[in-house]
Amino acid sequence: MFAKLSKKGQITLPAEVRRLLKLRPGARVRFVVEKDAARILPAEGGIESLKGVVKVDTPQDFKAARHKAMEERSREKAPRARR
């Protein structure tokens, strides 16, 4: 099987490869480079795969949660002032 590289560095995976890897539109893949070759693998287990795993009763404000986590982390890393 062959694919042609576009000017933008893009290729279209042949249908047989998409079927073999069970890839649907929007699926993500990862590339594993080994010496002079690269393998294409389905990208499983990424953070996107966790969407919907934890059930919640109320809407979540992820921007606020991220900001709070960043503040807590910066306080942990900031050197304590000497007296």
Side-chain angles (χ1 to χ4, degrees), residues 44-83:
E44 297 174 4
I47 195 163
E48 294 88 11
S49 68
L50 299 175
K51 185 176 181 178
V53 170
V54 177
K55 303 297 179 200
V56 294
D57 296 331
T58 59
Q60 303 296 304
D61 184 352
F62 292 105
K63 188 174 182 179
R66 183 177 66 229
H67 184 69
K68 181 180 176 185
M70 289 169 61
E71 284 181 348
E72 290 174 0
R73 182 68 175 150
S74 67
R75 280 194 292 273
E76 291 173 6
K77 289 192 148 217
R80 296 182 182 181
R82 294 185 183 181
R83 294 182 193 206

Side-chain angles (χ1 to χ4, degrees), residues 23-30 41-44 48:
L23 297 173
R24 302 274 184 224
R28 299 181 66 87
V29 296
R30 66 186 178 105
L41 303 170
E44 297 174 4
E48 294 88 11

